[in-house]
């Protein structure tokens, strides 16, 4: 038998993965649908004596076709093979071994080749099997690499139609439980930052080309500058930038916000599915461009990038403009507003005058000083002194602002005037409490918006912005300290005796008086911050909720610090619900509503003890620490109320999931 065999010719060797002609369809078929039948339905007739064509090893093209077919629904029946396989029964094998003549052996092989396959063998149904291994080769074929045997060949390279992954055993499950979490393989997309914002389910208006991306970035930068100028915190500004850029098709952006500057960087990946490719680059994507990673985009010398930056050097209280910019962003993310119309609306917001004239704001400021002084127990006469000092302070602040005097000196001049007037008028014989008059004025002079925004930025993960705002807020606060120290020094030079700061700790006013006048002061402060008239009522409602909790906690004796925190969280929750209903930022309602919690008396007691009673600094430091703790509680209440109410306000946002879906 060995002598009669003919060695294989080189031309009959198995084709390599990149050589030879494309095999026929039935050669590729066993590795497509029905690949679990291996080579049964696709083998060519084989002659042991050299006649016919040997078995063909699957090429890489065949494997690629098998993978493609494995992802589609396959035919339920394997097609019939074009030729039958040689079948050698036990009887034929015995006759073959007992027959020495070559002619007889050829007759036996020819008889075996003509034996047809059974119907069940020709039409086998597809079954759920494991991955199909690469078929074994014997004499010819690629030689395994040194140190590797055929048994180590990667299995599952050509999966069957319905291959199932093997379930992990008990040891594998235990190992997965004990091993550490794998590190992320790619950075988080910036659009995922919107998951906790009102713009979480934005709708795409359209794709942006590399030429239109610059205009979109400039518009987003002007919008961010407007929001910062009107008093928005860093998180709201970042969410607005990302939402606007993503809506207009500019997704690959990075936003950096500091105390005064906003920077946006954009990497244009036109080859990875941009608008230019959609117009004429479909063939390029089919060739493999859709597999480009982020590093490929960054390292590509043909990649276009844009970096724009804007510095915000001034702030103003304009909550009406801030509310309109927030509504503009909500309308943009609805997916129905072209960028040109959005630019015109933004220009209209910047050109629109404030809701209240200057004389009304000054009147409201003086009236708020009167209401706060009465609310903390300063009396009618003390309230009149506070109102008069507020009018004088506004005039001085206006003149110093016109002369471009820094804020530190402006705050020092205002607090000095307030302290000097209260102390001298009290020394002249008027029945008033200088400590409470000064405390009422300090509440109005405190940079409340910046203090709360500073704590919000620190909590929300903007340390650089929080540090910058903290420095500017600290300088304003130090101006108050310098002014109070100067006023006390002037009163001492005039011969006034020291003030007994313990008088500021006498019995507080009743809950009804405090609640009524603090609600009035809240509405007036909302007017001074240029909130719209329909938002003033919502602000007083948020303050009412906090006042109820505050006085309930005082009656129950829960403690001043815990009571302040609970009242702040309550006001933050109510402000979040009302702001979502009105489609405005939460801080428009929350910051004026926190007026009744500002620690004016604690600040005055601490500063007076440190600057005058220098023999004992302990009580003064304790008073300032308590004041700072109250301010932190205010900011924490605003942020925590927003997160607590998130599950209940999703349907109130203009971009709810039931209306908008990302396209």
């Amino acid at each position: 038998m060995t002598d009669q065999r003919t060695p294989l010719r080189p031309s009959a060797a198995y084709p390599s993965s990149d050589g030879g002609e494309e095999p026929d369809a039935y050669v590729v078929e066993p590795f497509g649908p029905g690949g679990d039948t291996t080579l049964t339905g696709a083998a060519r007739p084989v002659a042991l004596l050299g006649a016919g064509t040997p078995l063909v090893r699957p090429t890489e093209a065949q494997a690629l076709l098998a993978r493609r077919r494995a992802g589609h629904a396959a035919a339920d029946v394997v097609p019939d093979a074009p030729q039958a396989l040689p079948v050698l029964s036990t009887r034929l094998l015995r006759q073959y071994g007992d027959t020495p003549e070559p002619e007889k052996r050829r007759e036996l092989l020819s008889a075996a080749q003509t034996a047809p396959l059974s119907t069940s063998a020709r039409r086998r149904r597809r079954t759920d099997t494991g991955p199909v291994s690469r078929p074994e080769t014997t004499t010819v074929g690629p030689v395994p690499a040194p140190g590797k045997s055929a048994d180590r060949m990667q299995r599952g390279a050509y999966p069957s139609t319905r291959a199932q992954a093997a379930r992990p055993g008990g040891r594998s499950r235990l190992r997965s439980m004990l091993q550490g979490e794998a590190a992320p393989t790619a950075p988080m997309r910036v659009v995922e930052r919107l998951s906790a914002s009102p713009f979480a389910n934005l709708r795409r208006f359209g794709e942006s080309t590399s030429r239109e991306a610059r205009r979109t970035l400039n518009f987003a930068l002007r919008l961010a500058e407007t929001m910062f100028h009107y008093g928005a915190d860093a998180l709201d500004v970042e969410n607005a930038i990302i939402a606007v850029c993503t809506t207009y098709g500019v997704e690959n952006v990075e936003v950096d916000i500091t105390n005064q500057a906003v920077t946006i960087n954009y990497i244009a990946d036109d080859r990875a599915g941009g608008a230019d490719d959609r117009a004429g680059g479909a063939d390029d994507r089919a060739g493999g461009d859709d597999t480009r990673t982020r590093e490929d985009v960054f390292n590509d010398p043909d990649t276009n990038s844009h970096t724009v930056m804007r510095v915000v050097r001034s702030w103003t209280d304009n909550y009406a403009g801030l509310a309109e910019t927030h509504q503009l962003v909500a309308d943009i993310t609805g997916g129905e507003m072209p960028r040109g119309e959005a630019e015109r609306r933004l220009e209209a917001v910047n050109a629109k005058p404030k809701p209240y004239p200057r004389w009304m704001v000054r009147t409201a400021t003086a009236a708020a000083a009167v209401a706060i002084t009465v609310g903390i127990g300063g009396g009618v006469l003390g309230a009149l002194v506070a109102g008069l000092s507020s009018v004088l302070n506004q005039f001085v602040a206006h003149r110093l602002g016109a002369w471009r005097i820094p804020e530190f000196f402006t705050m020092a001049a205002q607090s000095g005037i307030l302290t000097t007037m209260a102390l001298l008028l009290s020394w002249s014989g008027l029945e008033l409490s200088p400590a409470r008059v000064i405390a009422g004025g300090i509440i109005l002079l405190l940079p409340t918006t910046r203090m709360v925004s500073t704590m919000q930025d620190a909590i929300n993960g903007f340390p650089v912005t929080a540090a910058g705002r903290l420095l500017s807020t600290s300088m304003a606060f130090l101006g108050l300290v310098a002014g109070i120290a100067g006023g006390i020094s002037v009163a001492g030079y005039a011969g006034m005796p020291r003030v007994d700061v313990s008088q500021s700790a006498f019995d507080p006013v009743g809950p009804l008086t405090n609640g009524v006048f603090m609600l009035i002061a809240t509405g007036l402060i909302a007017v001074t911050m240029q909130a719209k008239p329909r938002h003033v009522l919502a602000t007083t409602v948020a303050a009412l909720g906090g006042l109820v909790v505050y006085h309930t906690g005082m009656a129950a004796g829960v403690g001043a610090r815990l009571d302040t925190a609970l009242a702040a969280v309550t006001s933050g929750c109510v402000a979040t619900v009302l702001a979502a209903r009105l489609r405005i930022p939460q801080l428009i309602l929350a910051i004026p509503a926190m007026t009744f919690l500002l620690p004016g008396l604690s600040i005055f007691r601490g500063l007076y003890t440190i600057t005058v009673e220098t023999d004992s600094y302990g009580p003064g430091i304790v008073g300032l620490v308590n004041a700072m703790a109250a301010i932190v509680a205010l900011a924490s209440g605003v942020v925590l109320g927003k997160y607590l109410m998130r599950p209940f306000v999703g349907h109130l946002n203009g971009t709810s999931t039931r209306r908008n879906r990302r396209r």
Side-chain angles (χ1 to χ4, degrees):
M1 179 175 178
T2 306
D3 298 335
Q4 301 299 328
R5 292 183 179 176
T6 304
L8 294 176
R9 296 185 302 272
S11 59
Y14 292 95
S16 61
S17 58
D18 56 350
E21 299 179 355
E22 186 69 17
D24 297 334
Y26 59 83
V27 177
V28 181
E29 184 61 31
F31 301 95
D36 51 310
T37 59
T38 63
L39 302 177
T40 301
R44 292 183 176 181
V46 178
L48 297 181
L49 298 180
T53 305
L55 292 175
V56 179
R57 182 174 179 268
T59 63
E60 294 297 331
Q62 297 172 3
L64 179 60
L65 183 58
R67 293 192 187 99
R68 291 177 179 175
R69 294 190 177 183
H72 299 81
D76 191 48
V77 179
V78 177
D80 294 341
Q83 296 286 346
L85 284 175
V87 179
L88 290 176
S89 63
T90 306
R91 182 180 59 82
L92 291 177
L93 287 174
R94 290 176 180 175
Q95 294 179 2
Y96 186 87
D98 297 338
T99 304
E101 292 81 2
E103 292 79 4
K104 296 292 185 181
R105 291 185 176 183
R106 291 193 186 94
E107 292 178 1
L108 291 175
L109 289 177
S110 61
Q113 287 179 339
T114 57
L117 291 174
S118 62
T119 306
S120 59
R122 285 185 299 167
R123 303 179 61 86
R124 291 180 56 184
R125 287 186 173 271
R126 182 182 51 168
T127 57
D128 296 338
T129 61
V132 178
S133 63
R134 199 183 188 100
E136 297 289 339
T137 57
T138 55
T139 307
V140 264
V143 179
K148 295 184 179 180
S149 61
D151 296 336
R152 296 183 180 181
M153 186 178 296
Q154 182 181 2
R155 300 181 66 84
Y158 309 104
S160 60
T161 307
R162 299 171 59 182
Q164 296 181 355
R167 296 183 179 180
R171 183 176 300 178
S172 300
R173 292 180 180 178
L174 180 60
R175 188 183 299 111
S176 63
M177 293 173 60
L178 296 179
Q179 67 183 3
E181 184 179 358
T185 56
M188 183 183 68
R189 296 180 61 195
V190 70
V191 72
E192 296 180 10
R193 295 277 294 177
L194 303 177
S195 59
S197 70
F199 319 117
N201 300 281
L202 53 86
R203 299 178 63 187
R204 187 188 300 276
F205 181 82
E207 300 295 340
S208 178
T209 63
S210 58
R211 293 185 297 271
E212 296 293 330
R214 186 58 180 253
R215 295 188 58 185
T216 300
L217 295 176
N218 290 334
F219 168 71
L221 199 62
R222 290 196 301 271
L223 179 66
E225 180 189 17
T226 301
M227 297 181 67
F228 246 138
H229 182 71
Y230 291 158
D233 59 84
L235 182 61
D236 290 341
V237 174
E238 184 187 63
N239 290 337
I241 293 174
I242 297 173
V244 170
C245 292
T246 306
T247 301
Y248 292 129
V250 183
E251 291 191 14
N252 195 15
V253 296
E254 294 292 343
V255 182
D256 183 26
I257 298 176
T258 60
N259 182 36
Q260 289 183 307
V262 181
T263 305
I264 308 175
N265 176 259
Y266 169 63
I267 304 296
D269 185 14
D270 292 339
R271 295 178 59 191
D276 295 339
D277 283 343
R278 288 178 176 84
D283 295 336
D284 294 338
R285 290 201 313 275
D289 286 345
D290 54 348
T291 61
R292 281 161 53 94
T293 63
R294 191 176 184 181
E295 292 299 326
D296 295 336
V297 177
F298 291 164
N299 297 330
D300 192 346
D302 297 331
T303 299
N304 297 324
S305 64
H306 304 280
T307 301
V308 291
M309 185 185 72
R310 189 68 58 88
V311 178
V312 184
R313 295 183 174 87
S314 62
W315 292 270
T316 183
D317 292 328
N318 188 0
Y319 281 175
L322 181 59
E324 291 184 1
T325 55
H326 183 87
Q327 293 173 355
L328 173 60
V329 176
D331 294 340
I332 290 173
T333 55
E336 303 295 337
M337 180 179 294
R339 191 186 60 242
E341 182 180 352
E343 292 175 349
R344 290 189 293 270
R345 281 190 55 178
L346 181 60
E347 293 177 358
V349 170
N350 290 324
K352 189 175 182 179
K354 296 181 179 181
Y356 311 106
R358 184 175 299 174
W359 66 268
M360 184 178 293
V361 173
R362 292 179 177 178
T363 303
T365 303
V370 172
I372 291 175
T373 305
V374 175
I376 63 178
V380 177
L381 189 57
L384 293 178
V385 174
L388 180 62
S389 62
S390 177
V391 173
L392 183 58
N393 282 336
Q394 291 184 69
F395 175 77
V396 172
H398 177 70
R399 296 308 305 170
L400 293 179
W403 296 341
R404 302 293 182 181
I405 302 298
E407 184 184 20
F408 174 84
F409 300 105
T410 301
M411 299 293 288
Q414 290 180 329
S415 60
I417 292 173
L418 174 64
T419 304
T420 303
M421 288 185 60
L423 293 177
L424 293 179
L425 290 177
S426 175
W427 182 46
S428 65
L430 295 178
E431 294 293 334
L432 56 89
S433 172
R436 302 208 170 192
V437 172
I438 296 173
I442 287 176
I443 291 177
L444 286 179
L445 293 178
L446 285 174
T448 309
T449 303
R450 269 183 290 169
M451 287 191 302
V452 177
S453 297
T454 298
M455 298 303 168
Q456 281 184 314
D457 294 339
I459 294 173
N460 290 327
F462 295 90
V464 177
T465 307
R469 288 188 172 183
L470 179 61
L471 181 60
S472 62
T473 305
S474 300
M475 293 305 299
F477 190 79
L478 290 176
L480 289 177
V481 174
I484 292 175
I488 293 173
S489 300
V490 170
Y493 290 147
M496 178 182 174
R498 290 185 177 182
V499 177
D500 185 9
V501 294
S502 62
Q503 65 174 327
S504 60
F506 43 54
D507 295 336
V509 296
L512 182 60
T513 302
N514 178 264
V516 170
F517 282 96
M518 281 300 177
L519 289 178
I520 295 174
T522 299
L524 293 172
I525 290 177
V527 172
T528 61
M529 292 182 176
Q530 297 291 343
K532 291 185 177 181
R534 63 192 182 96
H535 299 160
V536 174
L537 180 60
T539 303
T540 56
V541 172
L544 178 61
L547 279 167
V548 171
V549 174
Y550 180 78
H551 288 292
T552 302
M554 290 291 293
V558 298
R561 295 182 181 179
L562 180 59
D563 194 18
T564 301
L566 293 176
V569 172
T570 303
S571 295
C573 292
V574 177
T576 301
V577 175
L578 296 177
R581 184 176 295 276
L582 297 173
R583 298 180 65 188
I584 60 177
Q586 180 214 26
L587 62 88
I588 293 179
L589 306 181
I591 290 181
M594 302 290 184
T595 301
F596 70 96
L597 294 175
L598 291 175
L601 285 175
S602 298
I603 293 175
F604 173 72
R605 286 198 299 264
L607 294 179
Y608 187 87
T609 302
I610 291 176
T611 56
V612 178
E613 300 178 1
T614 57
D615 52 346
S616 60
Y617 291 101
I621 295 176
V622 171
L624 291 180
V625 170
N626 290 333
M628 293 299 103
I631 293 175
V632 172
L634 296 183
S636 302
V638 173
V639 179
L640 184 59
K642 181 186 298 185
Y643 285 104
L644 290 177
M645 292 292 104
R646 186 194 302 172
F648 307 101
V649 300
H651 65 284
L652 298 177
N653 292 321
T655 54
S656 62
T657 56
R658 290 183 298 178
R659 290 184 52 191
N660 295 337
R661 297 288 184 184
R662 291 194 66 197
R663 295 186 293 184

